Amino acid sequence: MTTRRKMLKMLGAAGASAALLPAKAIGMMGGGVGGAPPGGGASSSGVAPFTLPLNAPPVLAPTAADSAADYYDLAVAETDVEIIPGKLTRIIGVNGATPGPTIRARTGRPAVVRFKNGLPATTLGNSPGDLTIHLHGGHTPAVDDGYPVDPTFVRGGTRTYNYPNNQPAATLWYHDHLKEESAPHVWYGLAGFYLISDDLEASLGLPSGAYDIPLVVQDRAFDASGQIVYTENVNGETGDTLLVNGTIQPYFRVAARKYRFRILNGSNMRPYEIALSNGQSFQVLGMEGGLLSAPVTASSIALQPAERADVVIDFTTLVVGTSVVLQNLSGAGSTADIMRFDVDRIEADPSVVPAILRPIEKLDPASAVATRSFTFSRRFGADPWVINGRIFEENRVDAFPRLDTTEIWTLTNRSMMTHPVHIHDVFFQILDVNGAPPPATHAGWKDTVPVPPMGTARVILRFNDYLGRYVFHCHVLEHEDHMMMAQFEVIP
Ligand code: C2O
Ligand code: CU
């Protein structure tokens, strides 16, 4: 069960040694969540906040299209990019960048996405250079879900994923899911947005086009030469530098009008509590599984890794020339400020946020045919994170839900860290967390539920459309890699 990456680390082999010591030192200074030195200012990157413009990942044009599908090509490779002005940082990029390009899909129109694996034999973070790509939030047949072990997708190879897009408009993202190697692959850059839209969403009149912007928030640490450092902290990697769409604490020039932002916590373990520095509230349109039945006004929203918040921020009342900072209320020092919006012009705003978005069918607990319990805990050993006392094994299936049935899963956390539990295949609804119903923002379709330390969450889910094996796991990526993952198989 020892991977090549772990072997390399144990042997202290080449590739690890040079970067590892400074990396560890910086990682410790970065400390735990919000552990950056207080007082704000620059992070280990040396970049002053709000000095770089926000990057917009390009929307990928299909390579081809026919009556059946749109075809996309993506290439994964290590590449050097300028994250810190004047320095080159090596990343695991998709089409040469992190995040990779955004795919914009439409409900009912399949996408065929081909990934080419151009990684070296030993990658950044010392993985063996194999890959598997998961479309997170995708309701995808098991064969194309990005199973953590995929002998068909090795270094130098290609893998074609068929995504039916048989689901309503939502904010999805793709990222690596290789067993024991997801955390370093994502940390070094392998992730991107995949946005599904549909006619109902388009009919609502929400801010769109240049006013509908995905924002992935991630933390990283940098060494003096500008390289990303990774310490493989088994409790979850954190860095003292916040990036949005791959840019360190950017500024973004906005018009005094409404904007829609799809905010993704794409960090390995860092949670955020997102708020605006002027105390202004915003409207939450939805989370992972798409639109809520009605927008919810909030002055902050907490996002654990992999959670998404689809929000509208209205800059209309801000005077041209003023700024507002998107803050992380759970950060401190260099992790307290995420990015800054600079209002630089007035524009007409034809967009609206209607009072009704999309009706949501509430799953009825009385319709559940099974109740399952999964306990998330820590044990001693190299793979300390376990579900029901066990690590992930390909040959063991822990649950066999039947197609077209509804179940209730009780997720219990017997450790002192939050575990954002992500279940593949279908979206679920949260019944309660520590006995209390979820806030209105979290009452729609979700794919990730934060289970608080020593707490319990109950979710209700309906297994439809697809048979086969799917994983569920903690989305703190180091917990997942150190084996807090299990699988279920949907059976006829
Ligand atoms: Cu975003 Cu199984 O992962
Ligand atoms: Cu966890």
Side-chain angles (χ1 to χ4, degrees):
M1 189 70 46
T2 301
T3 62
R4 193 149 140 221
R5 176 164 60 88
K6 286 177 181 168
M7 293 270 288
L8 283 166
K9 292 218 158 178
M10 282 181 230
L11 297 168
S17 52
L20 213 60
L21 289 178
K24 277 240 152 71
I26 288 169
M28 280 170 197
M29 283 161 52
V33 174
S43 55
S44 60
S45 68
V47 175
F50 321 130
T51 53
L52 300 172
L54 177 72
N55 165 51
V59 174
L60 187 65
T63 316
D66 60 23
S67 59
D70 293 319
Y71 300 80
Y72 295 94
D73 278 287
L74 293 161
V76 176
E78 293 194 355
T79 178
D80 293 323
V81 296
E82 191 172 337
I83 295 172
I84 299 169
K87 291 181 180 173
L88 286 179
T89 301
R90 182 146 298 187
I91 60 160
I92 297 178
V94 186
N95 291 8
T98 182
T102 298
I103 292 179
R104 280 195 175 262
R106 264 194 98 74
T107 298
R109 170 87 178 152
V112 178
V113 183
R114 184 169 62 178
F115 279 88
K116 191 173 178 331
N117 179 353
L119 290 176
T122 302
T123 70
L124 291 164
N126 294 323
S127 102
D130 298 335
L131 286 175
T132 186
I133 306 290
H134 170 56
L135 178 59
H136 183 129
H139 180 43
T140 307
V143 64
D144 286 320
D145 191 51
Y147 192 74
V149 180
D150 183 355
T152 72
F153 193 12
V154 292
R155 193 164 54 82
T158 58
R159 174 65 153 94
T160 300
Y161 296 95
N162 291 283
Y163 300 133
N165 299 319
N166 170 27
Q167 60 188 99
T171 302
L172 280 51
W173 60 305
Y174 59 85
H175 62 76
D176 178 70
H177 214 300
L178 189 65
K179 180 183 165 188
E180 298 178 284
E181 312 291 354
S182 300
H185 284 172
V186 174
W187 183 260
Y188 282 103
L190 206 175
F193 278 104
Y194 186 107
L195 309 177
I196 302 182
S197 59
D198 63 16
D199 291 345
L200 185 146
E201 179 197 46
S203 74
L204 294 175
L206 297 168
S208 62
Y211 308 99
D212 171 13
I213 297 169
L215 301 173
V216 53
V217 185
Q218 296 171 307
D219 61 332
R220 299 288 182 263
F222 294 88
D223 69 15
S225 70
Q227 298 312 307
I228 295 171
V229 294
Y230 186 65
T231 67
E232 201 180 339
N233 182 340
V234 76
N235 288 326
E237 193 80 5
T238 55
D240 71 344
T241 307
L242 299 189
L243 299 92
V244 181
N245 296 350
T247 306
I248 296 167
Q249 292 175 301
Y251 67 84
F252 181 52
R253 298 206 170 107
V254 294
R257 55 159 287 162
K258 292 187 285 301
Y259 282 73
R260 179 180 183 188
F261 296 105
R262 328 289 193 97
I263 306 175
L264 157 66
N265 180 352
S267 304
N268 282 33
M269 85 77 73
R270 181 181 293 278
Y272 300 87
E273 183 158 358
I274 309 261
L276 290 163
S277 58
N278 61 0
Q280 182 183 334
S281 56
F282 47 85
Q283 285 175 294
V284 180
L285 305 179
M287 291 191 75
E288 294 93 82
L291 297 168
L292 292 163
S293 51
V296 177
T297 300
S299 56
S300 74
I301 188 163
L303 292 180
Q304 286 282 335
E307 287 191 296
R308 286 88 80 198
D310 187 350
V311 305
V312 168
I313 300 179
D314 190 351
F315 300 105
T316 307
T317 58
L318 296 183
V319 176
V320 170
T322 59
S323 297
V324 60
V325 173
L326 191 70
Q327 294 181 314
N328 170 25
L329 298 182
S330 46
S334 66
T335 61
D337 293 336
I338 298 169
M339 65 179 290
R340 192 178 70 194
F341 300 108
D342 297 338
V343 182
D344 78 335
R345 63 194 188 277
I346 291 177
E347 263 180 29
D349 184 1
S351 72
V352 292
V353 177
I356 306 287
L357 297 172
R358 183 193 299 277
I360 289 183
E361 180 210 342
K362 271 274 157 216
L363 296 182
D364 179 6
S367 70
V369 301
T371 301
R372 301 182 196 274
S373 295
F374 298 104
T375 297
F376 295 73
S377 64
R378 201 182 202 291
R379 63 170 197 188
F380 291 101
D383 288 318
W385 298 106
V386 289
I387 300 176
N388 286 354
R390 302 162 108 178
I391 64 170
F392 175 71
E393 286 167 63
E394 293 111 271
N395 298 321
R396 194 191 76 243
V397 178
D398 290 304
F400 292 91
R402 285 189 188 280
L403 190 66
D404 293 324
T405 66
T406 300
E407 299 195 351
I408 293 171
W409 287 16
T410 301
L411 312 170
T412 302
N413 183 347
R414 292 232 178 87
S415 75
M416 298 308 291
M417 294 187 70
T418 298
H419 298 297
V421 174
H422 169 45
I423 303 172
H424 286 216
D425 180 25
V426 291
F427 289 102
F428 54 75
Q429 292 170 2
I430 301 174
L431 290 175
D432 44 52
V433 177
N434 289 344
T441 46
H442 290 58
W445 294 107
K446 296 273 295 168
D447 66 28
T448 304
V449 58
V451 188
M454 303 308 284
T456 297
R458 288 195 315 141
V459 300
I460 183 166
L461 59 177
R462 185 170 176 80
F463 298 91
N464 49 19
D465 298 321
Y466 308 127
L467 300 170
R469 278 187 194 186
Y470 294 92
V471 294
F472 63 102
H473 57 90
C474 176
H475 219 288
V476 170
L477 294 178
E478 287 75 17
H479 297 189
E480 173 188 336
D481 276 1
H482 294 279
M483 298 305 245
M484 190 173 258
M485 179 159 67
Q487 60 188 336
F488 60 94
E489 181 172 343
V490 183
I491 59 171

